[in-house]
Amino acid sequence: MPRRRALRPAHLMPLVAIGAALMSTHAAAAPAAHVEIEASEPNILESSSFQGGTYRLRNDGSEGITGLRIDLGAGPAMFPDLIFDPTGLAGNELGLPFTVNSGPSDLNATATYLDGTDAEGYRVLDVAMPAPGLAPGKEMTFSIDVDPTVVKESFAGPHGKISGAEHHGATITVSYVSSPAQSNDAVKVTGSDIGSTADFPAVTDLAPVVSAVDVGAPAVVSSPTQGIKVEGPAGATGFILVAEGHLYLAGLAGFDVDPFEANVLVGHSQYAFTIGADGTAVVPVSLTRRDLATVPGAPAGGVSEDIGLNYITAWLTAPAGGSGPVSDPIVLQWDGTPPPPDPEPEPEPAPVPDPPAEPVLIAVPDGPLGLDNCRPAKPEANRDSAGGSIALSVSQLRINQRIGQAAIRRLNAVQKWLDDGIVGSDLCGGTLGPRELARDLTQIPGEATAPTGASPRPLEVAPSSGSGAIMLRSAQLRINQRIYRAALLRARALDQRLRGGLTGGDVVDASVEPARLAMPVTAGPSVASPAPSTTERVALGAARGRITLSAAQLRINQRIGQRAVREANSLVSRIERGLVGANFAADSITSADVGLGD
């Protein structure tokens, strides 16, 4: 049966209320937080929590945060035997204690290490922030060394580096000044090799249960194609993550190595699922068995001691976004046996036509509709990196400005695209269902019009206009940081608008053709069209701390600008694939928006 994680407050919303609760673009005044674990090194093997600013805690609610606990064993995290190594005695030769990299100067955050010893490492990091704690709208970043125990007493290298992605499944708890603590599990960021994230409160306190069909995990299997059974609440949606790990020890013996134990992440794949009425879903997945030499960041000539270790987990999500706790992992190791050839298909008998059926109301499923009729996602471009050396120079300042200007131009294009008015071809075929349609549109018997693919209007991104003369001074760095921060906040406001905030008021009248609907409808007495949605105005607070004329400050500004570019690119990608019904508020598409013909 699905299990509930400890430390879940009793007032968390049930799964059936997830979608409605997350439709609002303005969260209620309540405690809320966001945790992000992502180092700056972009490749899968070299990224490490050792790098400054890897852990980011942001207060998204209305109450001060007084504590943050990360438990690598309660979930557990993606691989077994991950530990915090603040002294360098439990992992490889390098260690790093809890180190605050940025945050309010009066935060006075301190750390306690629990469930372990210096020699064995610690499963739990407990960060305390005395009241009033981390204030609403503020954030702090920190770093600490995390290692797999198998590399104890070895030298530093990729076999001992743990990025944010390997934190997938770790249980994170946020404490507040007076409200109950909130817990959730870290989930690997879709499209990222190195990042994971957790939002609070969680959309559900249920973790699904995963098992392999016809195989008792852990096990060595001879076929890469395996059926994974997920148990959970009927109708719930979520994702399965298949993450391949290697045991890579650089020729050393390793410390306390267990069967099916990995210490490096080399690749991953993700599969969506919907739980059926019987409380289960069976999803076919493909196991992998990669050569270490093909993995970015692999050492020259490096050979893994064991490969093909596929760690499989699942978690539940809400239609408008957000996640719940992660299942306990199972491990299947593919031994590399090639799959058998497909059998020759037997000829099918000639079909016997069915008699004409009386028209009936077709059943329209719940959940996001029409996703198969969206455009395929474009391959993700290489992400900007804040790594490497940065010199304190006018040329580097100009590079940073170009990054920030790129984000602003793309955000302007997204804003204009929405404000120009959405038309039917901007939507994926068959995506508008009963949830989105207002009461003046009623389903009638018959089959839905054959859906057509999305063909969104192009986004008009203005070309770069260049830049005039700039001077290398602290005042210019402060101006740049405010611009980059404003762009980042604006990207998040546009993201909220696309997370179920659009309405029929954003749609050009009569432009939505029947092919965009999931069922045939007829129009009744008209109702008032809702007001168009708006992008929340960005209220930029004062910059945190003193701005110095330094290479370090240039790097900080660059990272803010790069994050704004990534979030702007994500918005552009969503629009270019085509909008879906989940982007619109419930009951907001009226007969005025739909062109039904004569």
Side-chain angles (χ1 to χ4, degrees):
M1 291 296 293
R3 56 189 173 80
R4 298 180 185 270
R5 289 279 167 81
L7 298 178
R8 296 288 191 265
H11 63 271
L12 279 177
M13 65 190 72
L15 188 64
V16 295
I18 292 172
L22 294 183
M23 287 300 171
S24 172
T25 58
H26 301 282
H34 175 80
V35 172
E36 190 174 304
I37 308 172
E38 183 174 4
S40 60
E41 178 61 48
N43 74 58
I44 197 169
L45 288 182
E46 291 295 318
S47 178
S48 172
S49 66
F50 200 96
Q51 295 166 321
T54 293
Y55 298 83
R56 183 178 302 272
L57 168 64
R58 187 178 72 229
N59 190 337
D60 286 345
S62 60
E63 185 175 342
I65 294 176
T66 58
L68 173 70
R69 172 173 289 200
I70 302 177
D71 191 331
L72 299 177
M78 181 179 289
F79 296 151
D81 295 336
L82 294 185
I83 46 89
F84 294 104
D85 184 22
T87 64
L89 299 177
N92 57 25
E93 63 183 9
L94 298 177
L96 178 70
F98 169 77
T99 304
V100 175
N101 301 119
S102 68
S105 59
D106 58 350
L107 188 59
N108 298 321
T110 59
T112 303
Y113 314 118
L114 304 172
D115 192 10
T117 65
D118 285 353
E120 298 173 344
Y122 298 90
R123 299 288 184 188
V124 178
L125 171 68
D126 203 346
V127 180
M129 292 159 276
L134 184 66
K138 301 295 184 179
E139 67 178 28
M140 68 168 290
T141 67
F142 63 90
S143 51
I144 186 173
D145 190 25
V146 175
D147 286 329
T149 59
V150 296
V151 302
K152 184 174 182 178
E153 300 174 356
S154 71
F155 55 85
H159 59 303
K161 293 185 177 181
I162 298 299
S163 75
E166 290 94 324
H167 287 67
H168 172 88
T171 296
I172 302 176
T173 303
V174 178
S175 301
Y176 301 96
V177 172
S178 59
S179 295
Q182 297 172 339
S183 289
N184 201 1
D185 288 349
V187 171
K188 193 193 78 64
V189 176
T190 301
S192 169
D193 287 336
I194 60 174
S196 67
T197 186
D199 287 298
F200 305 84
V203 297
T204 176
D205 62 347
L206 286 176
V209 175
V210 297
S211 57
V213 177
D214 299 328
V215 178
V220 178
V221 296
S222 59
S223 173
T225 301
Q226 296 291 324
I228 300 301
K229 180 180 179 181
V230 185
E231 299 177 71
T237 59
F239 291 97
I240 292 173
L241 177 69
V242 180
E244 184 189 350
H246 283 196
L247 181 64
Y248 170 58
L249 299 173
L252 302 178
F255 176 79
D256 190 24
V257 179
D258 296 319
F260 300 99
E261 183 168 3
N263 64 314
V264 294
L265 174 65
V266 298
H268 47 79
S269 54
Q270 193 165 300
Y271 303 83
F273 65 82
T274 299
I275 303 292
D278 63 349
T280 67
V282 176
V283 181
V285 305
S286 295
L287 309 183
T288 56
R289 186 179 173 89
R290 293 174 172 86
D291 182 347
L292 182 65
T294 65
V295 181
V303 178
S304 297
E305 282 71 18
D306 205 1
I307 67 176
L309 295 159
N310 289 262
Y311 288 77
I312 303 171
T313 53
W315 65 98
L316 302 180
T317 61
S323 62
V326 177
S327 70
D328 288 332
I330 62 171
V331 187
L332 296 178
Q333 184 176 21
W334 177 32
D335 63 7
T337 302
D342 294 332
E344 290 293 331
E346 296 182 1
E348 296 183 358
V352 177
D354 294 328
E358 292 295 326
V360 295
L361 291 177
I362 61 172
V364 181
D366 295 328
L369 304 172
L371 297 179
D372 292 339
N373 304 313
C374 297
R375 284 183 169 180
K378 293 182 180 179
E380 187 172 346
N382 291 332
R383 299 176 54 188
D384 294 327
S385 170
S389 60
I390 285 186
L392 183 62
S393 64
V394 170
S395 63
Q396 183 62 55
L397 180 60
R398 193 179 300 278
I399 290 171
N400 285 9
Q401 284 194 345
R402 289 172 181 168
I403 294 171
Q405 289 166 355
I408 292 169
R409 293 198 309 273
R410 293 168 199 179
L411 293 174
N412 286 343
V414 171
Q415 179 76 50
K416 183 178 185 300
W417 191 92
L418 292 172
D419 292 345
D420 283 348
I422 297 166
V423 297
S425 59
D426 296 333
L427 278 65
C428 304
T431 193
L432 296 177
R435 189 195 72 87
E436 292 84 26
L437 302 185
R439 64 179 182 274
D440 62 342
L441 290 169
T442 304
Q443 182 179 1
I444 57 176
E447 295 295 323
T449 301
T452 56
S455 180
R457 293 167 291 124
L459 286 114
E460 301 174 357
V461 180
S464 173
S465 61
S467 59
I470 54 175
M471 298 181 64
L472 190 62
R473 55 184 182 177
S474 60
Q476 184 64 55
L477 296 187
R478 183 181 298 277
I479 291 170
N480 288 4
Q481 185 179 103
R482 287 183 60 84
I483 293 172
Y484 305 161
R485 287 173 57 210
L488 185 57
L489 291 175
R490 185 180 176 200
R492 291 172 180 171
L494 285 165
D495 176 74
Q496 288 299 311
R497 189 174 174 186
L498 285 172
R499 288 180 181 269
L502 300 176
T503 74
D506 297 304
V507 177
V508 175
D509 285 352
S511 68
V512 178
E513 63 270 35
R516 310 298 165 183
L517 306 181
M519 69 284 190
V521 298
T522 186
S526 62
V527 298
S529 180
S533 64
T534 59
T535 303
E536 184 178 357
R537 294 181 61 86
V538 174
L540 186 63
R544 296 181 296 257
R546 185 168 62 91
I547 301 294
T548 61
L549 187 61
S550 63
Q553 187 63 56
L554 276 174
R555 185 185 297 276
I556 291 171
N557 285 8
Q558 185 185 79
R559 292 187 66 179
I560 298 172
Q562 289 172 341
R563 184 167 295 277
V565 169
R566 291 199 297 270
E567 296 198 17
N569 286 344
S570 176
L571 294 170
V572 170
S573 177
R574 286 156 67 182
I575 287 174
E576 289 178 340
R577 291 195 65 192
L579 299 180
V580 295
N583 297 126
F584 291 84
D587 305 321
S588 68
I589 303 296
T590 69
S591 59
D593 306 316
V594 179
L596 296 178
D598 296 331

